[in-house]
Amino acid sequence: MAQQLEFEVVLYPDPVLRKVSEPVRAFDEALQAVVAAMFARMRKSKGVGLAAPQVGLRQRVLVLGPTGEEKDDLILINPIVVARAGDRTVFDEGCLSFPGIYAEVTRPDRCTVQSVDLTGRPLEAEYSGFTGRIIQHEYDHLEGILLVDRMTPAEKLKHKSALDELVTRYKRARPPEGPRREAARQG
Ligand code: ZN
């Protein structure tokens, strides 16, 4: 039996969130375990989507649960957004890596995505509305692009104290001296 994985959500401004993720090449049990643990984390945190960098993995893996019902779950591995279309819509986006922050973000309504499933079989589909929105948000994570980058200057100002608080918390958890800094340098 595969070992049970458990993930925590990596919070802004952890530098792992800024890394560009690598394509998945092995469609094996380890990948299945990662996806299962990502879904478990997403549900526990009451999220509707999660990207692998948010659990500290630089892999191009997204899980989505747009309705909360298992039948609507989506797994997108090595996704490529090949087209974006439709009206540009404004939506209050949240992110598990930015707890408590919801910011207005403008994105096109629809996107066409090529990806593969857990077995490496290719998939292509167009997504719109809430699902299209989540995919575009999660896809950003694979490129190291974060909610804060999508905020207008006004939104950034509105959330400045909450963002500063996350930075303060991150620094407090990681003192600038000691073994942790050494580990970070090697990473
Ligand atoms: Zn996010």
Side-chain angles (χ1 to χ4, degrees):
M1 203 180 128
Q3 204 191 330
Q4 191 82 30
L5 282 174
E6 245 185 85
F7 292 135
E8 293 299 323
V9 177
V10 174
L11 301 184
Y12 174 82
D14 195 308
V16 74
L17 295 171
R18 289 298 187 187
K19 302 270 198 283
V20 175
S21 291
E22 303 284 338
V24 170
R25 291 195 179 83
F27 296 87
D28 54 10
E29 272 186 27
L31 177 65
Q32 289 170 23
V34 163
V35 166
M38 283 175 67
F39 271 118
R41 173 35 63 194
M42 182 189 78
R43 291 193 207 292
K44 237 187 211 173
S45 300
K46 306 203 187 317
V48 290
L50 194 65
Q54 292 182 279
V55 295
L57 300 175
R58 286 180 60 189
Q59 294 180 22
R60 302 186 82 85
V61 177
L62 306 180
V63 302
L64 283 84
T67 65
E69 287 188 51
E70 242 174 83
K71 67 172 175 56
D72 298 320
D73 282 353
L74 277 172
I75 301 165
L76 299 176
I77 297 167
N78 299 343
I80 301 169
V81 176
V82 291
R84 298 179 202 245
D87 293 337
R88 292 175 66 78
T89 55
V90 181
F91 191 87
D92 251 349
E93 281 187 23
C95 179
L96 293 178
S97 297
F98 291 80
I101 298 178
Y102 290 87
E104 283 187 356
V105 176
T106 305
R107 300 184 194 268
D109 181 59
R110 301 198 304 271
C111 62
T112 304
V113 182
Q114 288 175 350
S115 63
V116 296
D117 69 10
L118 271 176
T119 65
R121 197 175 44 193
L123 305 165
E124 181 172 328
E126 188 186 69
Y127 302 94
S128 60
F130 191 45
T131 306
R133 169 66 60 161
I134 305 168
I135 289 174
Q136 292 179 69
H137 174 104
E138 301 306 337
Y139 181 78
D140 274 354
H141 277 295
L142 303 183
E143 298 296 314
I145 299 167
L146 300 176
L147 183 62
V148 66
D149 307 322
R150 296 292 186 196
M151 289 181 192
T152 60
E155 283 290 290
K156 233 184 251 183
L157 200 62
K158 189 169 128 192
H159 297 292
K160 188 180 182 309
S161 64
L163 291 166
D164 287 350
E165 174 64 26
L166 284 172
V167 172
T168 304
R169 250 193 266 171
Y170 177 77
K171 284 184 181 159
R172 208 182 292 147
R174 266 156 234 258
E177 277 153 329
R180 273 191 154 163
R181 188 177 178 181
E182 288 304 314
R185 266 201 209 122
Q186 288 159 18

